[in-house]
Amino acid sequence: MLKSLFVFGVLGVLLIPATCNKISVCVEDDRDLRVDCLIEPKPNKINSYEFSWSSGTKESLINTNVSGSAAEVQFKDKSYVEELESEGYRMTLSGFTDNLPHNTTYMCKISGEAARVTVEADQLVPCSAVSVLLKSSCSWIICLLLFFYHTHS
């Protein structure tokens, strides 16, 4: 009993500061780049989104629905955005996976709330549930929970 209280106490302390990435980047089977922005849209409101990347000091807007803004010419007709059922938006970009800069920061903004992640081109993962989960900052939390569930059942 005392051991269980200690273990769950430590787990509780570890989980308090834990936050998950609200953005993930991966490569689909057809070599398209996929960026999932998991910022929950505001209910009963037309939500705005922006997807961009930067390498060095230059930021490039890839896709947006913000009035008065436009994606750069090189991305015109190369990307599309769809709303995810659970939360957020998914942007898919065709034809750039083989030409990505070595170190790229991907950014998304939904209704003013922003998320960003930096990924090295040679470390892009394939878009599968397992690989995206392992790259997520929440994966250690899930593994910890599964471990404790298994040892206490």
Side-chain angles (χ1 to χ4, degrees):
M1 167 95 168
L2 189 57
K3 180 181 171 187
S4 293
L5 285 173
F6 175 74
V7 167
F8 287 115
V10 169
L11 180 62
V13 169
L14 289 174
L15 291 178
I16 289 170
T19 58
C20 298
N21 282 341
K22 296 199 178 246
I23 185 172
S24 66
V25 181
C26 60
V27 178
E28 294 182 339
D29 290 339
D30 59 1
R31 303 288 299 148
D32 287 349
L33 185 73
R34 186 173 94 190
V35 180
D36 289 348
C37 187
L38 303 176
I39 297 173
E40 192 170 342
K42 309 283 188 269
N44 302 321
K45 182 180 176 193
I46 297 174
N47 290 288
S48 61
Y49 60 78
E50 291 181 350
F51 286 87
S52 58
W53 72 20
S54 70
S55 181
T57 58
K58 181 173 173 21
E59 183 176 338
S60 302
L61 185 60
I62 300 170
N63 198 316
T64 185
N65 70 347
V66 175
S67 180
S69 294
E72 293 192 14
V73 175
Q74 65 180 343
F75 301 117
K76 190 166 177 64
D77 301 324
K78 298 282 186 181
S79 69
Y80 65 92
V81 176
E82 58 188 312
E83 188 170 359
L84 299 173
E85 277 187 36
S86 56
E87 61 181 35
Y89 290 86
R90 171 174 293 157
M91 191 239 356
T92 304
L93 179 63
S94 301
F96 285 87
T97 307
D98 296 327
N99 302 324
L100 292 175
H102 178 66
N103 197 14
T104 308
T105 300
Y106 298 88
M107 295 155 286
C108 66
K109 189 185 297 183
I110 297 178
S111 299
E113 188 177 341
R116 64 181 30 210
V117 66
T118 301
V119 180
E120 292 184 21
D122 59 348
Q123 298 201 354
L124 279 170
V125 296
C127 294
S128 69
V130 173
S131 64
V132 172
L133 175 68
L134 291 176
K135 278 293 206 184
S136 165
S137 63
C138 291
S139 62
W140 67 271
I141 296 171
I142 294 167
C143 291
L144 208 55
L145 289 172
L146 288 172
F147 171 75
F148 286 119
Y149 175 77
H150 177 70
T151 58
H152 286 84
S153 59

